PDB file of all heavy atoms in Angstrom:
ATOM      1  N   GLN B 368     121.571 109.136  92.270  1.00  0.00           N
ATOM      2  CA  GLN B 368     120.873 110.214  91.580  1.00  0.00           C
ATOM      3  C   GLN B 368     121.814 111.350  91.186  1.00  0.00           C
ATOM      4  O   GLN B 368     121.627 112.008  90.166  1.00  0.00           O
ATOM      5  CB  GLN B 368     119.753 110.751  92.469  1.00  0.00           C
ATOM      6  CG  GLN B 368     118.674 111.473  91.697  1.00  0.00           C
ATOM      7  CD  GLN B 368     117.550 111.938  92.608  1.00  0.00           C
ATOM      8  OE1 GLN B 368     117.760 112.296  93.754  1.00  0.00           O
ATOM      9  NE2 GLN B 368     116.328 111.923  92.093  1.00  0.00           N
ATOM     10  N   ASP B 369     122.838 111.601  92.015  1.00  0.00           N
ATOM     11  CA  ASP B 369     123.764 112.690  91.693  1.00  0.00           C
ATOM     12  C   ASP B 369     124.784 112.297  90.626  1.00  0.00           C
ATOM     13  O   ASP B 369     125.700 113.065  90.315  1.00  0.00           O
ATOM     14  CB  ASP B 369     124.452 113.209  92.955  1.00  0.00           C
ATOM     15  CG  ASP B 369     125.344 112.163  93.612  1.00  0.00           C
ATOM     16  OD1 ASP B 369     125.584 111.103  92.980  1.00  0.00           O
ATOM     17  OD2 ASP B 369     125.793 112.388  94.740  1.00  0.00           O
ATOM     18  N   GLY B 370     124.657 111.064  90.099  1.00  0.00           N
ATOM     19  CA  GLY B 370     125.525 110.636  89.016  1.00  0.00           C
ATOM     20  C   GLY B 370     126.736 109.839  89.476  1.00  0.00           C
ATOM     21  O   GLY B 370     127.450 109.254  88.662  1.00  0.00           O
ATOM     22  N   SER B 371     126.990 109.817  90.785  1.00  0.00           N
ATOM     23  CA  SER B 371     128.165 109.070  91.259  1.00  0.00           C
ATOM     24  C   SER B 371     127.894 107.568  91.211  1.00  0.00           C
ATOM     25  O   SER B 371     126.762 107.113  91.333  1.00  0.00           O
ATOM     26  CB  SER B 371     128.509 109.492  92.691  1.00  0.00           C
ATOM     27  OG  SER B 371     127.425 109.202  93.538  1.00  0.00           O
ATOM     28  N   GLU B 372     128.992 106.818  91.009  1.00  0.00           N
ATOM     29  CA  GLU B 372     128.838 105.375  90.885  1.00  0.00           C
ATOM     30  C   GLU B 372     128.582 104.750  92.258  1.00  0.00           C
ATOM     31  O   GLU B 372     129.255 105.085  93.226  1.00  0.00           O
ATOM     32  CB  GLU B 372     130.109 104.776  90.283  1.00  0.00           C
ATOM     33  CG  GLU B 372     129.979 103.294  90.035  1.00  0.00           C
ATOM     34  CD  GLU B 372     131.279 102.692  89.507  1.00  0.00           C
ATOM     35  OE1 GLU B 372     132.128 102.314  90.337  1.00  0.00           O
ATOM     36  OE2 GLU B 372     131.427 102.622  88.284  1.00  0.00           O
ATOM     37  N   TYR B 373     127.574 103.857  92.331  1.00  0.00           N
ATOM     38  CA  TYR B 373     127.266 103.205  93.605  1.00  0.00           C
ATOM     39  C   TYR B 373     127.688 101.742  93.550  1.00  0.00           C
ATOM     40  O   TYR B 373     128.410 101.259  94.410  1.00  0.00           O
ATOM     41  CB  TYR B 373     125.786 103.335  93.921  1.00  0.00           C
ATOM     42  CG  TYR B 373     125.424 102.921  95.328  1.00  0.00           C
ATOM     43  CD1 TYR B 373     126.032 103.532  96.419  1.00  0.00           C
ATOM     44  CD2 TYR B 373     124.481 101.916  95.583  1.00  0.00           C
ATOM     45  CE1 TYR B 373     125.708 103.169  97.725  1.00  0.00           C
ATOM     46  CE2 TYR B 373     124.149 101.551  96.883  1.00  0.00           C
ATOM     47  CZ  TYR B 373     124.763 102.176  97.943  1.00  0.00           C
ATOM     48  OH  TYR B 373     124.443 101.816  99.232  1.00  0.00           O
ATOM     49  N   ILE B 374     127.247 101.058  92.504  1.00  0.00           N
ATOM     50  CA  ILE B 374     127.652  99.663  92.302  1.00  0.00           C
ATOM     51  C   ILE B 374     128.376  99.601  90.951  1.00  0.00           C
ATOM     52  O   ILE B 374     127.819  99.988  89.926  1.00  0.00           O
ATOM     53  CB  ILE B 374     126.423  98.737  92.268  1.00  0.00           C
ATOM     54  CG1 ILE B 374     125.540  98.949  93.513  1.00  0.00           C
ATOM     55  CG2 ILE B 374     126.853  97.280  92.147  1.00  0.00           C
ATOM     56  CD1 ILE B 374     126.198  98.645  94.829  1.00  0.00           C
ATOM     57  N   ALA B 375     129.606  99.118  90.982  1.00  0.00           N
ATOM     58  CA  ALA B 375     130.408  99.079  89.757  1.00  0.00           C
ATOM     59  C   ALA B 375     129.876  98.009  88.810  1.00  0.00           C
ATOM     60  O   ALA B 375     129.198  97.071  89.230  1.00  0.00           O
ATOM     61  CB  ALA B 375     131.862  98.790  90.104  1.00  0.00           C
ATOM     62  N   ALA B 376     130.189  98.177  87.529  1.00  0.00           N
ATOM     63  CA  ALA B 376     129.795  97.181  86.540  1.00  0.00           C
ATOM     64  C   ALA B 376     130.359  95.824  86.951  1.00  0.00           C
ATOM     65  O   ALA B 376     131.508  95.707  87.360  1.00  0.00           O
ATOM     66  CB  ALA B 376     130.311  97.587  85.164  1.00  0.00           C
ATOM     67  N   GLY B 377     129.497  94.799  86.861  1.00  0.00           N
ATOM     68  CA  GLY B 377     129.937  93.457  87.205  1.00  0.00           C
ATOM     69  C   GLY B 377     129.778  93.125  88.672  1.00  0.00           C
ATOM     70  O   GLY B 377     129.804  91.959  89.060  1.00  0.00           O
ATOM     71  N   ALA B 378     129.631  94.141  89.536  1.00  0.00           N
ATOM     72  CA  ALA B 378     129.453  93.874  90.965  1.00  0.00           C
ATOM     73  C   ALA B 378     127.968  93.765  91.295  1.00  0.00           C
ATOM     74  O   ALA B 378     127.112  94.161  90.509  1.00  0.00           O
ATOM     75  CB  ALA B 378     130.089  94.979  91.788  1.00  0.00           C
ATOM     76  N   VAL B 379     127.684  93.194  92.466  1.00  0.00           N
ATOM     77  CA  VAL B 379     126.303  93.066  92.925  1.00  0.00           C
ATOM     78  C   VAL B 379     126.199  93.751  94.286  1.00  0.00           C
ATOM     79  O   VAL B 379     127.096  93.611  95.120  1.00  0.00           O
ATOM     80  CB  VAL B 379     125.917  91.572  93.031  1.00  0.00           C
ATOM     81  CG1 VAL B 379     124.597  91.415  93.765  1.00  0.00           C
ATOM     82  CG2 VAL B 379     125.834  90.945  91.651  1.00  0.00           C
ATOM     83  N   ALA B 380     125.127  94.494  94.484  1.00  0.00           N
ATOM     84  CA  ALA B 380     124.973  95.223  95.750  1.00  0.00           C
ATOM     85  C   ALA B 380     124.858  94.250  96.917  1.00  0.00           C
ATOM     86  O   ALA B 380     124.152  93.237  96.827  1.00  0.00           O
ATOM     87  CB  ALA B 380     123.730  96.108  95.694  1.00  0.00           C
ATOM     88  N   SER B 381     125.582  94.554  97.999  1.00  0.00           N
ATOM     89  CA  SER B 381     125.469  93.731  99.201  1.00  0.00           C
ATOM     90  C   SER B 381     124.184  94.118  99.933  1.00  0.00           C
ATOM     91  O   SER B 381     123.578  95.142  99.644  1.00  0.00           O
ATOM     92  CB  SER B 381     126.666  93.981 100.109  1.00  0.00           C
ATOM     93  OG  SER B 381     126.595  95.301 100.608  1.00  0.00           O
ATOM     94  N   ASP B 382     123.815  93.253 100.906  1.00  0.00           N
ATOM     95  CA  ASP B 382     122.622  93.571 101.692  1.00  0.00           C
ATOM     96  C   ASP B 382     122.725  94.948 102.318  1.00  0.00           C
ATOM     97  O   ASP B 382     121.766  95.718 102.333  1.00  0.00           O
ATOM     98  CB  ASP B 382     122.426  92.531 102.803  1.00  0.00           C
ATOM     99  CG  ASP B 382     121.657  91.327 102.286  1.00  0.00           C
ATOM    100  OD1 ASP B 382     121.382  91.294 101.065  1.00  0.00           O
ATOM    101  OD2 ASP B 382     121.353  90.430 103.085  1.00  0.00           O
ATOM    102  N   SER B 383     123.904  95.253 102.853  1.00  0.00           N
ATOM    103  CA  SER B 383     124.011  96.529 103.556  1.00  0.00           C
ATOM    104  C   SER B 383     123.998  97.700 102.573  1.00  0.00           C
ATOM    105  O   SER B 383     123.515  98.783 102.906  1.00  0.00           O
ATOM    106  CB  SER B 383     125.239  96.522 104.472  1.00  0.00           C
ATOM    107  OG  SER B 383     126.198  97.435 104.034  1.00  0.00           O
ATOM    108  N   GLU B 384     124.515  97.476 101.360  1.00  0.00           N
ATOM    109  CA  GLU B 384     124.430  98.547 100.353  1.00  0.00           C
ATOM    110  C   GLU B 384     122.987  98.813  99.942  1.00  0.00           C
ATOM    111  O   GLU B 384     122.608  99.950  99.668  1.00  0.00           O
ATOM    112  CB  GLU B 384     125.279  98.198  99.122  1.00  0.00           C
ATOM    113  CG  GLU B 384     126.751  98.497  99.334  1.00  0.00           C
ATOM    114  CD  GLU B 384     127.640  97.876  98.256  1.00  0.00           C
ATOM    115  OE1 GLU B 384     127.338  96.756  97.789  1.00  0.00           O
ATOM    116  OE2 GLU B 384     128.635  98.514  97.900  1.00  0.00           O
ATOM    117  N   ILE B 385     122.189  97.745  99.912  1.00  0.00           N
ATOM    118  CA  ILE B 385     120.777  97.939  99.584  1.00  0.00           C
ATOM    119  C   ILE B 385     120.054  98.593 100.758  1.00  0.00           C
ATOM    120  O   ILE B 385     119.344  99.580 100.612  1.00  0.00           O
ATOM    121  CB  ILE B 385     120.108  96.588  99.227  1.00  0.00           C
ATOM    122  CG1 ILE B 385     120.751  95.986  97.979  1.00  0.00           C
ATOM    123  CG2 ILE B 385     118.614  96.773  99.022  1.00  0.00           C
ATOM    124  CD1 ILE B 385     120.237  94.608  97.612  1.00  0.00           C
ATOM    125  N   TRP B 386     120.276  98.032 101.959  1.00  0.00           N
ATOM    126  CA  TRP B 386     119.564  98.530 103.153  1.00  0.00           C
ATOM    127  C   TRP B 386     119.843 100.013 103.371  1.00  0.00           C
ATOM    128  O   TRP B 386     118.953 100.780 103.694  1.00  0.00           O
ATOM    129  CB  TRP B 386     119.985  97.704 104.367  1.00  0.00           C
ATOM    130  CG  TRP B 386     119.216  98.037 105.621  1.00  0.00           C
ATOM    131  CD1 TRP B 386     119.523  98.997 106.536  1.00  0.00           C
ATOM    132  CD2 TRP B 386     118.011  97.414 106.091  1.00  0.00           C
ATOM    133  NE1 TRP B 386     118.584  99.017 107.547  1.00  0.00           N
ATOM    134  CE2 TRP B 386     117.640  98.050 107.308  1.00  0.00           C
ATOM    135  CE3 TRP B 386     117.198  96.370 105.614  1.00  0.00           C
ATOM    136  CZ2 TRP B 386     116.512  97.693 108.039  1.00  0.00           C
ATOM    137  CZ3 TRP B 386     116.090  96.012 106.364  1.00  0.00           C
ATOM    138  CH2 TRP B 386     115.746  96.667 107.548  1.00  0.00           C
ATOM    139  N   TYR B 387     121.112 100.388 103.223  1.00  0.00           N
ATOM    140  CA  TYR B 387     121.484 101.778 103.507  1.00  0.00           C
ATOM    141  C   TYR B 387     121.672 102.606 102.238  1.00  0.00           C
ATOM    142  O   TYR B 387     122.623 103.378 102.132  1.00  0.00           O
ATOM    143  CB  TYR B 387     122.757 101.818 104.360  1.00  0.00           C
ATOM    144  CG  TYR B 387     122.560 101.259 105.746  1.00  0.00           C
ATOM    145  CD1 TYR B 387     123.206 100.095 106.153  1.00  0.00           C
ATOM    146  CD2 TYR B 387     121.719 101.901 106.649  1.00  0.00           C
ATOM    147  CE1 TYR B 387     123.021  99.587 107.430  1.00  0.00           C
ATOM    148  CE2 TYR B 387     121.524 101.399 107.924  1.00  0.00           C
ATOM    149  CZ  TYR B 387     122.179 100.240 108.310  1.00  0.00           C
ATOM    150  OH  TYR B 387     121.982  99.748 109.575  1.00  0.00           O
ATOM    151  N   LEU B 388     120.793 102.444 101.300  1.00  0.00           N
ATOM    152  CA  LEU B 388     120.890 103.224 100.068  1.00  0.00           C
ATOM    153  C   LEU B 388     120.809 104.725 100.391  1.00  0.00           C
ATOM    154  O   LEU B 388     119.820 105.202 100.930  1.00  0.00           O
ATOM    155  CB  LEU B 388     119.754 102.835  99.112  1.00  0.00           C
ATOM    156  CG  LEU B 388     119.764 103.544  97.758  1.00  0.00           C
ATOM    157  CD1 LEU B 388     120.955 103.083  96.923  1.00  0.00           C
ATOM    158  CD2 LEU B 388     118.462 103.291  96.997  1.00  0.00           C
ATOM    159  N   PRO B 389     121.873 105.484 100.045  1.00  0.00           N
ATOM    160  CA  PRO B 389     121.924 106.878 100.500  1.00  0.00           C
ATOM    161  C   PRO B 389     121.089 107.846  99.664  1.00  0.00           C
ATOM    162  O   PRO B 389     120.760 108.936 100.143  1.00  0.00           O
ATOM    163  CB  PRO B 389     123.404 107.229 100.382  1.00  0.00           C
ATOM    164  CG  PRO B 389     123.916 106.330  99.311  1.00  0.00           C
ATOM    165  CD  PRO B 389     123.103 105.065  99.364  1.00  0.00           C
ATOM    166  N   GLN B 390     120.785 107.488  98.437  1.00  0.00           N
ATOM    167  CA  GLN B 390     120.038 108.396  97.557  1.00  0.00           C
ATOM    168  C   GLN B 390     119.142 107.556  96.665  1.00  0.00           C
ATOM    169  O   GLN B 390     119.293 106.352  96.587  1.00  0.00           O
ATOM    170  CB  GLN B 390     120.988 109.142  96.606  1.00  0.00           C
ATOM    171  CG  GLN B 390     121.811 110.230  97.195  1.00  0.00           C
ATOM    172  CD  GLN B 390     122.774 110.794  96.134  1.00  0.00           C
ATOM    173  OE1 GLN B 390     122.482 110.745  94.942  1.00  0.00           O
ATOM    174  NE2 GLN B 390     123.906 111.293  96.590  1.00  0.00           N
ATOM    175  N   LEU B 391     118.248 108.220  95.959  1.00  0.00           N
ATOM    176  CA  LEU B 391     117.570 107.543  94.859  1.00  0.00           C
ATOM    177  C   LEU B 391     118.605 107.307  93.756  1.00  0.00           C
ATOM    178  O   LEU B 391     119.750 107.741  93.870  1.00  0.00           O
ATOM    179  CB  LEU B 391     116.410 108.387  94.331  1.00  0.00           C
ATOM    180  CG  LEU B 391     115.257 108.622  95.317  1.00  0.00           C
ATOM    181  CD1 LEU B 391     114.147 109.414  94.631  1.00  0.00           C
ATOM    182  CD2 LEU B 391     114.703 107.307  95.844  1.00  0.00           C
ATOM    183  N   LEU B 392     118.173 106.646  92.694  1.00  0.00           N
ATOM    184  CA  LEU B 392     119.130 106.284  91.653  1.00  0.00           C
ATOM    185  C   LEU B 392     119.042 107.227  90.457  1.00  0.00           C
ATOM    186  O   LEU B 392     118.041 107.922  90.267  1.00  0.00           O
ATOM    187  CB  LEU B 392     118.854 104.853  91.191  1.00  0.00           C
ATOM    188  CG  LEU B 392     118.862 103.821  92.314  1.00  0.00           C
ATOM    189  CD1 LEU B 392     118.556 102.439  91.770  1.00  0.00           C
ATOM    190  CD2 LEU B 392     120.212 103.812  93.042  1.00  0.00           C
ATOM    191  N   GLU B 393     120.099 107.191  89.686  1.00  0.00           N
ATOM    192  CA  GLU B 393     120.129 107.990  88.465  1.00  0.00           C
ATOM    193  C   GLU B 393     118.950 107.590  87.577  1.00  0.00           C
ATOM    194  O   GLU B 393     118.696 106.400  87.383  1.00  0.00           O
ATOM    195  CB  GLU B 393     121.453 107.730  87.742  1.00  0.00           C
ATOM    196  CG  GLU B 393     121.757 108.713  86.639  1.00  0.00           C
ATOM    197  CD  GLU B 393     123.173 108.495  86.100  1.00  0.00           C
ATOM    198  OE1 GLU B 393     123.490 107.360  85.672  1.00  0.00           O
ATOM    199  OE2 GLU B 393     123.945 109.459  86.125  1.00  0.00           O
ATOM    200  N   GLY B 394     118.254 108.583  87.060  1.00  0.00           N
ATOM    201  CA  GLY B 394     117.103 108.292  86.196  1.00  0.00           C
ATOM    202  C   GLY B 394     115.782 108.447  86.910  1.00  0.00           C
ATOM    203  O   GLY B 394     114.746 108.582  86.284  1.00  0.00           O
ATOM    204  N   MET B 395     115.807 108.428  88.256  1.00  0.00           N
ATOM    205  CA  MET B 395     114.560 108.625  89.006  1.00  0.00           C
ATOM    206  C   MET B 395     114.370 110.116  89.262  1.00  0.00           C
ATOM    207  O   MET B 395     115.313 110.797  89.640  1.00  0.00           O
ATOM    208  CB  MET B 395     114.605 107.892  90.357  1.00  0.00           C
ATOM    209  CG  MET B 395     114.832 106.407  90.228  1.00  0.00           C
ATOM    210  SD  MET B 395     115.160 105.622  91.819  1.00  0.00           S
ATOM    211  CE  MET B 395     113.508 105.512  92.502  1.00  0.00           C
ATOM    212  N   GLU B 396     113.130 110.593  89.043  1.00  0.00           N
ATOM    213  CA  GLU B 396     112.848 111.997  89.344  1.00  0.00           C
ATOM    214  C   GLU B 396     112.218 112.085  90.733  1.00  0.00           C
ATOM    215  O   GLU B 396     111.324 111.319  91.050  1.00  0.00           O
ATOM    216  CB  GLU B 396     111.826 112.566  88.355  1.00  0.00           C
ATOM    217  CG  GLU B 396     112.316 112.727  86.948  1.00  0.00           C
ATOM    218  CD  GLU B 396     111.137 112.959  86.011  1.00  0.00           C
ATOM    219  OE1 GLU B 396     110.238 113.735  86.397  1.00  0.00           O
ATOM    220  OE2 GLU B 396     111.121 112.344  84.939  1.00  0.00           O
TER     221      GLU B 396
END
Side-chain angles (χ1 to χ4, degrees):
Chain B
Q368 202 177 34
D369 64 10
S371 61
E372 184 183 87
Y373 191 57
I374 307 298
V379 169
S381 67
D382 274 5
S383 113
E384 279 167 324
I385 297 175
W386 186 272
Y387 293 114
L388 182 68
Q390 286 176 28
L391 295 183
L392 305 179
E393 193 172 56
M395 302 170 78
E396 291 166 42

